[in-house]
Amino acid sequence: MALLECPPNQQGKIGADMKTYDVVIIGAGAAGLMCALTAGYRGLRVRVVDHANKAGKKILMSGGGRCNFTNLATTPANFFSGNPHFPISALKRYTPHHFVELIERHGIEYVEKAPGQLFCAHSAKDVVAMLLTECEWAGVEVSLSTAVKHIERLGDGMQLEIDGARVEAGAVVVATGGLSIPTLGASGLGYDLARQFGLEVTETRAALVPFTVTSQWKTSLAALAGLSCPVAARCGDGQYQEPLLFTHRGLSGPAMLQASSHWRPGIAVEIDWLPSIPVEETLRKLRQEAPRRHLGTWLGEVLPKRLSQALLQWQGWKDRPMAELSNGDIQTIAQGLGAWQFKPAGTEGWRTAEVTMGGVDTDAISSKTFAVNALPQLYFIGEVLDVTGQLGGFNFQWAWASGVACGQSL
């Protein structure tokens, strides 16, 4: 959506129907609603606008509909940014425990599915309902199915055209999110706004996204579709020990989603199929203690049977007794299981990506207030910024923390 400045003959004119707010927040997602309720409780007149027909659409679909709303182990090290120091201030001021207190005040039951990862026990709808209830209590006006068409600076404030009406605001907060999952309404609106006001936008790419494979691998991997197993995945400077999932299109699961944040075209992803087993030592011991045992039998015990058979075929390993394995054979097998490599054809892209890597360059933004340094009546929060979390609730914690920090500074 293009954001155009108003014609010169209309600039500065305020009609009788002009509405005035202390702050207009563009985006009714996690960061936008959190900022709105924080500012509303401070007595500010706040309006949230979003072109979507529902608030918090990404919250609703997250975590399989259960919303992994935070991670108790959140630290700045869990985030990617061109300016790694930028998230520190907000994350320190609003911690996962603060959000858990809010969840508990509303009586929302939650579970810890993996260490530190908190999910709603019932439905992500509980989180959205909580945020909207808080906004209502704070006197926030939420306008859905509402489009922002024009925005410009007006003296010490801002002026917008919202669904054909002229609106004046002391400040505008951009909480539009990134480009991931366009079917939920994602767009480049926030980046367009940033560029309109002279801000840099770093390269954006799909992250926390499944990998696709070349046609030569697709048939082999498709035969394993639905199979999951724990692995250690390495890509670039990232290493993660998480489950991997085979799909009809390629490789997914937490291990691959995490690796995708480090991946660039042409780079190989390395997989250790047995991260908890010292393969070379184990095979040497088996050769001595169970010389008649076959390699395929052992693989079928330590890996899903379909995968063990596939690995024998992919690696060209003969299913033979342990006694026939030389030291060189054992080293080759250990290397093949511990450092299996593939080069993805690509990723599934924005359609299924959970987040956007890159965004509005934070060098131009205050890490304390989230205001644009050169234009203090304009703010950017949440995923639209060049701050991206790892998988596991970290991106929601960034939304809450940046929203609160901004709301407190308005």
Side-chain angles (χ1 to χ4, degrees):
M1 180 188 303
L3 291 161
L4 307 175
E5 295 201 1
C6 301
N9 65 337
Q10 294 183 18
Q11 289 184 3
K13 289 187 178 181
I14 302 177
D17 60 345
M18 172 73 78
K19 293 186 177 181
T20 304
Y21 299 89
D22 293 306
V23 56
V24 168
I25 299 171
I26 307 174
L33 293 176
M34 199 67 179
C35 179
L37 67 91
T38 303
Y41 279 127
R42 296 180 58 240
L44 301 181
R45 188 180 181 198
V46 182
R47 183 180 183 186
V48 179
V49 296
D50 198 307
H51 68 283
N53 61 355
K54 287 183 180 179
K57 278 193 169 184
K58 204 166 181 182
I59 299 174
L60 293 171
M61 62 76 62
S62 65
R66 296 289 180 86
C67 185
N68 181 192
F69 56 79
T70 193
N71 193 307
L72 297 177
T74 300
T75 71
N78 298 116
F79 295 86
F80 304 95
S81 175
N83 178 5
H85 298 290
F86 183 83
I88 295 175
S89 175
L91 291 172
K92 281 186 175 179
R93 284 181 282 158
Y94 193 82
T95 69
H97 297 286
H98 288 117
F99 193 76
V100 170
E101 288 175 4
L102 180 60
I103 287 281
E104 290 177 344
R105 285 203 303 272
H106 282 259
I108 297 175
E109 296 180 20
Y110 59 91
V111 295
E112 187 174 6
K113 288 190 176 181
Q117 297 182 28
L118 303 186
F119 290 74
C120 294
H122 302 294
S123 171
K125 293 178 181 178
D126 295 339
V127 173
V128 175
M130 174 192 75
L131 295 171
L132 291 175
T133 296
E134 289 281 341
C135 282
E136 182 181 356
W137 291 347
V140 174
E141 180 181 338
V142 179
S143 303
L144 302 175
S145 300
T146 302
V148 176
K149 292 189 175 179
H150 303 290
I151 183 169
E152 63 178 346
R153 180 177 182 174
L154 182 66
D156 292 333
M158 304 292 283
Q159 191 167 249
L160 310 90
E161 182 184 333
I162 300 177
D163 273 359
R166 310 281 289 166
V167 174
E168 185 180 300
V172 167
V173 178
V174 180
T176 51
L179 298 169
S180 56
I181 317 183
T183 54
L184 297 181
S187 73
L189 176 62
Y191 308 134
D192 292 339
L193 255 177
R195 294 187 185 100
Q196 177 188 338
F197 289 97
L199 304 183
E200 296 292 327
V201 177
T202 66
E203 177 192 3
T204 55
R205 55 190 176 89
L208 298 184
V209 61
F211 288 116
T212 58
V213 295
T214 57
S215 56
Q216 68 185 69
W217 276 104
K218 189 170 290 186
T219 302
S220 297
L221 295 184
L224 301 174
L227 188 152
S228 177
C229 63
V231 303
R234 294 178 284 272
C235 184
D237 60 354
Q239 180 168 328
Y240 303 91
Q241 194 158 329
E242 301 260 17
L244 173 149
L245 173 68
F246 291 92
T247 73
H248 288 285
R249 295 177 295 275
L251 295 175
S252 185
M256 296 296 95
L257 299 187
Q258 297 276 39
S260 73
S261 295
H262 302 264
W263 183 76
R264 295 282 187 166
I267 294 178
V269 177
E270 188 175 278
I271 295 172
D272 182 348
W273 295 107
L274 295 170
S276 61
I277 296 178
V279 175
E280 188 170 345
E281 178 185 332
T282 300
L283 290 179
R284 287 177 184 271
K285 188 175 181 181
L286 284 172
R287 183 176 60 182
Q288 181 178 352
E289 298 178 355
R292 295 184 181 181
R293 196 174 190 182
H294 277 236
L295 174 63
T297 302
W298 175 74
L299 278 176
E301 293 171 352
V302 295
L303 288 169
K305 193 158 290 186
R306 279 191 293 159
L307 175 58
S308 68
Q309 293 170 351
L311 281 168
L312 284 172
Q313 180 183 348
W314 298 342
Q315 302 294 80
W317 295 333
K318 186 178 178 182
D319 184 11
R320 47 186 167 159
M322 296 292 175
E324 296 182 13
L325 298 178
S326 67
N327 288 339
D329 291 333
I330 288 176
Q331 289 176 350
T332 298
I333 293 168
Q335 175 70 15
L337 291 173
W340 186 82
Q341 291 191 353
F342 79 102
K343 284 190 177 181
T347 72
E348 292 192 6
W350 300 117
R351 182 179 65 85
T352 59
E354 294 195 16
V355 292
T356 302
M357 187 73 76
V360 178
D361 192 336
T362 58
D363 285 345
I365 310 291
S366 165
S367 62
K368 182 178 181 180
T369 67
F370 288 79
V372 176
N373 295 326
L375 186 62
Q377 56 267 62
L378 181 63
Y379 299 73
F380 289 83
I381 58 174
E383 188 183 347
V384 73
L385 289 166
D386 177 25
V387 177
T388 306
Q390 295 173 340
L391 186 72
F394 300 109
N395 286 290
F396 274 124
Q397 186 57 36
W398 171 243
W400 315 136
S402 60
V404 168
C406 179
Q408 290 175 339
S409 69
L410 290 165

